[in-house]
Amino acid sequence: MGKEHKNKRFKDTDMQIVIGWLLRIGVYVSITVVIIGGIFFLYRHGSTVADYRSFKGVPGFIQNLGDIMHNVVLLRGQAIIQLGIILLLATPILRVIFSAIGFMLEKDYLYIFISVLVLLIIIASALSGGAG
Amino acid sequence: MSVIVFTLIVLVGAYFAGLLGSLTGLGGGVVIIPLLTLLLHVDIHYAIGAALISVIATSSGSAAAYVKEGITNIRIGMFLEIATTAGAFTGAILAIYVSVKFIAVLFGTILIFSAIMSLREKKEHITSAKSFLSRRLRLDSSYPVEGEMVEYGVANIAGGFFMMLFAGIISGLLGIGSGALKVLAMDGIMRIPFKVSTTTSNFMIGVTAAASAVVYLQRGYVHPVIAMPVVVGVLFGAVSGSKILVHTKSSGWLRWVFAVVVTVLAVQVIYNGLTGKL
């Protein structure tokens, strides 16, 4: 029991270090992408009028992932910003996937189940998003 | 107003929102929504979308530091994330059916509640009573206090779980982290030490916000031109705030100033919401 306990603690701290790095890199990378997109956008459209009083959704060329990627290649500012936002959104989701892998290494079946359940809820939410 | 002026105003406002949010522990999201809607007349749906994205940035950024220190309880976080993500999913769906009036009143109420919570005296209490459920879920753990590991137990898991469900719904409906509700669930109901509660709450906020952000992103609530200065400003403000916190221990007067500002904003949001100006 004593040995097993020691082993488990070691893996828990391992997981903490990996998760800490993952979160940090995710935030750095996505914010950098957002800022680059912002510079492109402001350089080209900085003098246009800002009017967001009524809700009109987002421009047509960034409405789905395929269009966003296509326009990122064309260096369109709003598409690059949106890519950065998607990377930021993916960071905590990746964290859940990494936790699941960590619990697999620890053979902690209960928490593998819990991590997968959380992932499934997020996936269900993403799939329902188009509706309504 | 030109796009460049709009971006600069939001950038500066978001910086101070992030700074104050981090100094008081309230989070930047609660200040950025009134700033965008009341001052810049941005549609509340865009404001909620942008705030939600900034919440993911600040919570992930500070969670990275806390996780390494070993105070965050990853198992408590993962287990309660079942409740917060399910709640956030529900909240994002409910958001289609509720009126702007309802959202404004709810937002104002949560804002005032958060301000009161931030003034509360923080007492560390440790429960050693280990329940069957917390043992079964392996939630009991230990955390470092002045270099020594202190063991703690977790009480009233069902009560905390339901409170987290509620916190998730609020987060999904309003685009905020609802950290105050999460801390109330862990520290107040589950009797988890305050430091563990706040860091674990912070750890959970990113995943909770992501669960509703996947819905908002597809509905077009996250506009890149608004979200860009909000995310960048709030994040840099939060980083500055955490640096100030290291150097100054007491921020008692600041909490009061912020609580008053937040309450005034809350009343404004409720009034403008009820009179149909939002």
mmCIF file of all heavy atoms in Angstrom, chain A residues 16, chain B residues 70-78 138-142 152 154 196 199-200 203:
data_model
loop_
_atom_site.group_PDB
_atom_site.id
_atom_site.type_symbol
_atom_site.label_atom_id
_atom_site.label_comp_id
_atom_site.label_asym_id
_atom_site.label_seq_id
_atom_site.Cartn_x
_atom_site.Cartn_y
_atom_site.Cartn_z
ATOM 1 N N GLN A 16 0.331 17.183 -13.120
ATOM 2 C CA GLN A 16 0.212 18.615 -12.842
ATOM 3 C C GLN A 16 1.184 19.421 -13.685
ATOM 4 O O GLN A 16 0.836 20.475 -14.219
ATOM 5 C CB GLN A 16 0.458 18.892 -11.361
ATOM 6 C CG GLN A 16 -0.717 18.477 -10.486
ATOM 7 C CD GLN A 16 -0.357 18.422 -9.022
ATOM 8 O OE1 GLN A 16 0.783 18.638 -8.640
ATOM 9 N NE2 GLN A 16 -1.325 18.113 -8.188
ATOM 10 N N GLY B 70 0.713 22.714 -6.956
ATOM 11 C CA GLY B 70 0.139 21.548 -6.280
ATOM 12 C C GLY B 70 -0.991 21.875 -5.318
ATOM 13 O O GLY B 70 -1.293 21.079 -4.436
ATOM 14 N N ILE B 71 -1.606 23.059 -5.455
ATOM 15 C CA ILE B 71 -2.730 23.396 -4.573
ATOM 16 C C ILE B 71 -4.042 22.934 -5.196
ATOM 17 O O ILE B 71 -4.950 22.461 -4.515
ATOM 18 C CB ILE B 71 -2.779 24.933 -4.313
ATOM 19 C CG1 ILE B 71 -1.446 25.405 -3.748
ATOM 20 C CG2 ILE B 71 -3.908 25.275 -3.354
ATOM 21 C CD1 ILE B 71 -1.302 26.913 -3.675
ATOM 22 N N THR B 72 -4.132 23.059 -6.533
ATOM 23 C CA THR B 72 -5.341 22.649 -7.255
ATOM 24 C C THR B 72 -5.588 21.152 -7.068
ATOM 25 O O THR B 72 -4.671 20.349 -7.176
ATOM 26 C CB THR B 72 -5.147 22.929 -8.764
ATOM 27 O OG1 THR B 72 -4.684 24.261 -8.921
ATOM 28 C CG2 THR B 72 -6.447 22.730 -9.527
ATOM 29 N N ASN B 73 -6.831 20.792 -6.773
ATOM 30 C CA ASN B 73 -7.189 19.381 -6.662
ATOM 31 C C ASN B 73 -7.836 18.949 -7.989
ATOM 32 O O ASN B 73 -9.008 19.232 -8.244
ATOM 33 C CB ASN B 73 -8.140 19.159 -5.488
ATOM 34 C CG ASN B 73 -8.413 17.688 -5.239
ATOM 35 O OD1 ASN B 73 -8.519 16.887 -6.164
ATOM 36 N ND2 ASN B 73 -8.516 17.325 -3.971
ATOM 37 N N ILE B 74 -7.035 18.279 -8.824
ATOM 38 C CA ILE B 74 -7.496 17.927 -10.173
ATOM 39 C C ILE B 74 -8.686 16.979 -10.133
ATOM 40 O O ILE B 74 -9.609 17.091 -10.934
ATOM 41 C CB ILE B 74 -6.330 17.333 -10.994
ATOM 42 C CG1 ILE B 74 -5.255 18.401 -11.218
ATOM 43 C CG2 ILE B 74 -6.820 16.805 -12.355
ATOM 44 C CD1 ILE B 74 -4.071 17.951 -12.033
ATOM 45 N N ARG B 75 -8.713 16.055 -9.131
ATOM 46 C CA ARG B 75 -9.838 15.097 -9.064
ATOM 47 C C ARG B 75 -11.139 15.804 -8.705
ATOM 48 O O ARG B 75 -12.171 15.558 -9.316
ATOM 49 C CB ARG B 75 -9.528 13.975 -8.078
ATOM 50 C CG ARG B 75 -8.606 12.949 -8.682
ATOM 51 C CD ARG B 75 -8.564 11.663 -7.880
ATOM 52 N NE ARG B 75 -7.823 10.650 -8.620
ATOM 53 C CZ ARG B 75 -6.512 10.657 -8.767
ATOM 54 N NH1 ARG B 75 -5.790 11.626 -8.221
ATOM 55 N NH2 ARG B 75 -5.902 9.724 -9.462
ATOM 56 N N ILE B 76 -11.101 16.697 -7.714
ATOM 57 C CA ILE B 76 -12.313 17.460 -7.373
ATOM 58 C C ILE B 76 -12.761 18.247 -8.602
ATOM 59 O O ILE B 76 -13.938 18.263 -8.963
ATOM 60 C CB ILE B 76 -12.061 18.434 -6.189
ATOM 61 C CG1 ILE B 76 -11.764 17.653 -4.910
ATOM 62 C CG2 ILE B 76 -13.263 19.355 -5.970
ATOM 63 C CD1 ILE B 76 -11.486 18.531 -3.690
ATOM 64 N N GLY B 77 -11.792 18.882 -9.285
ATOM 65 C CA GLY B 77 -12.100 19.672 -10.473
ATOM 66 C C GLY B 77 -12.765 18.829 -11.549
ATOM 67 O O GLY B 77 -13.835 19.180 -12.043
ATOM 68 N N MET B 78 -12.163 17.699 -11.884
ATOM 69 C CA MET B 78 -12.706 16.834 -12.944
ATOM 70 C C MET B 78 -14.107 16.348 -12.589
ATOM 71 O O MET B 78 -15.005 16.362 -13.417
ATOM 72 C CB MET B 78 -11.806 15.610 -13.176
ATOM 73 C CG MET B 78 -10.523 15.837 -13.926
ATOM 74 S SD MET B 78 -10.640 16.494 -15.604
ATOM 75 C CE MET B 78 -11.970 15.600 -16.310
ATOM 76 N N ARG B 138 -12.162 9.405 -4.244
ATOM 77 C CA ARG B 138 -10.773 9.819 -3.994
ATOM 78 C C ARG B 138 -10.589 11.340 -4.062
ATOM 79 O O ARG B 138 -9.671 11.853 -4.701
ATOM 80 C CB ARG B 138 -9.840 9.124 -4.993
ATOM 81 C CG ARG B 138 -9.357 7.789 -4.464
ATOM 82 C CD ARG B 138 -8.684 7.002 -5.553
ATOM 83 N NE ARG B 138 -9.670 6.337 -6.374
ATOM 84 C CZ ARG B 138 -9.376 5.587 -7.430
ATOM 85 N NH1 ARG B 138 -8.118 5.457 -7.795
ATOM 86 N NH2 ARG B 138 -10.317 4.984 -8.107
ATOM 87 N N LEU B 139 -11.507 12.056 -3.417
ATOM 88 C CA LEU B 139 -11.441 13.517 -3.438
ATOM 89 C C LEU B 139 -10.570 14.063 -2.311
ATOM 90 O O LEU B 139 -9.994 15.142 -2.430
ATOM 91 C CB LEU B 139 -12.856 14.121 -3.329
ATOM 92 C CG LEU B 139 -13.843 13.755 -4.441
ATOM 93 C CD1 LEU B 139 -15.192 14.407 -4.188
ATOM 94 C CD2 LEU B 139 -13.323 14.153 -5.810
ATOM 95 N N ASP B 140 -10.480 13.301 -1.184
ATOM 96 C CA ASP B 140 -9.672 13.759 -0.053
ATOM 97 C C ASP B 140 -8.216 13.858 -0.503
ATOM 98 O O ASP B 140 -7.727 12.993 -1.206
ATOM 99 C CB ASP B 140 -9.785 12.784 1.115
ATOM 100 C CG ASP B 140 -11.238 12.528 1.505
ATOM 101 O OD1 ASP B 140 -12.006 13.501 1.535
ATOM 102 O OD2 ASP B 140 -11.585 11.362 1.735
ATOM 103 N N SER B 141 -7.563 14.934 -0.072
ATOM 104 C CA SER B 141 -6.176 15.108 -0.509
ATOM 105 C C SER B 141 -5.403 15.931 0.512
ATOM 106 O O SER B 141 -5.837 16.064 1.661
ATOM 107 C CB SER B 141 -6.160 15.782 -1.876
ATOM 108 O OG SER B 141 -4.861 15.844 -2.392
ATOM 109 N N SER B 142 -4.281 16.477 0.105
ATOM 110 C CA SER B 142 -3.507 17.346 0.980
ATOM 111 C C SER B 142 -2.954 18.495 0.144
ATOM 112 O O SER B 142 -2.879 18.399 -1.078
ATOM 113 C CB SER B 142 -2.352 16.564 1.606
ATOM 114 O OG SER B 142 -1.584 15.947 0.590
ATOM 115 N N TYR B 152 -6.879 17.162 4.025
ATOM 116 C CA TYR B 152 -8.246 17.656 4.186
ATOM 117 C C TYR B 152 -9.241 16.665 3.593
ATOM 118 O O TYR B 152 -8.913 15.887 2.702
ATOM 119 C CB TYR B 152 -8.419 19.035 3.541
ATOM 120 C CG TYR B 152 -8.135 19.087 2.047
ATOM 121 C CD1 TYR B 152 -9.134 18.816 1.118
ATOM 122 C CD2 TYR B 152 -6.860 19.410 1.576
ATOM 123 C CE1 TYR B 152 -8.877 18.852 -0.247
ATOM 124 C CE2 TYR B 152 -6.598 19.452 0.216
ATOM 125 C CZ TYR B 152 -7.603 19.170 -0.691
ATOM 126 O OH TYR B 152 -7.345 19.206 -2.038
ATOM 127 N N VAL B 154 -13.518 16.071 2.243
ATOM 128 C CA VAL B 154 -14.538 16.793 1.486
ATOM 129 C C VAL B 154 -15.912 16.368 1.988
ATOM 130 O O VAL B 154 -16.202 15.176 2.070
ATOM 131 C CB VAL B 154 -14.412 16.494 -0.029
ATOM 132 C CG1 VAL B 154 -15.499 17.223 -0.804
ATOM 133 C CG2 VAL B 154 -13.038 16.895 -0.542
ATOM 134 N N VAL B 196 -7.610 25.909 -1.765
ATOM 135 C CA VAL B 196 -7.870 24.813 -2.708
ATOM 136 C C VAL B 196 -9.133 25.140 -3.511
ATOM 137 O O VAL B 196 -9.189 24.917 -4.725
ATOM 138 C CB VAL B 196 -8.027 23.466 -1.957
ATOM 139 C CG1 VAL B 196 -8.312 22.333 -2.936
ATOM 140 C CG2 VAL B 196 -6.789 23.163 -1.134
ATOM 141 N N THR B 199 -8.373 27.989 -6.232
ATOM 142 C CA THR B 199 -7.536 27.544 -7.354
ATOM 143 C C THR B 199 -8.244 26.468 -8.177
ATOM 144 O O THR B 199 -8.145 26.456 -9.399
ATOM 145 C CB THR B 199 -6.173 27.007 -6.873
ATOM 146 O OG1 THR B 199 -6.400 25.979 -5.914
ATOM 147 C CG2 THR B 199 -5.335 28.084 -6.251
ATOM 148 N N THR B 200 -8.989 25.580 -7.504
ATOM 149 C CA THR B 200 -9.696 24.534 -8.247
ATOM 150 C C THR B 200 -10.851 25.144 -9.045
ATOM 151 O O THR B 200 -11.111 24.733 -10.182
ATOM 152 C CB THR B 200 -10.207 23.433 -7.294
ATOM 153 O OG1 THR B 200 -9.097 22.951 -6.527
ATOM 154 C CG2 THR B 200 -10.799 22.266 -8.059
ATOM 155 N N PHE B 203 -9.403 26.526 -12.079
ATOM 156 C CA PHE B 203 -9.041 25.414 -12.966
ATOM 157 C C PHE B 203 -10.257 24.955 -13.775
ATOM 158 O O PHE B 203 -10.150 24.604 -14.952
ATOM 159 C CB PHE B 203 -8.521 24.282 -12.074
ATOM 160 C CG PHE B 203 -8.111 23.024 -12.801
ATOM 161 C CD1 PHE B 203 -6.933 22.980 -13.527
ATOM 162 C CD2 PHE B 203 -8.882 21.882 -12.713
ATOM 163 C CE1 PHE B 203 -6.546 21.811 -14.171
ATOM 164 C CE2 PHE B 203 -8.496 20.709 -13.346
ATOM 165 C CZ PHE B 203 -7.330 20.685 -14.080
#
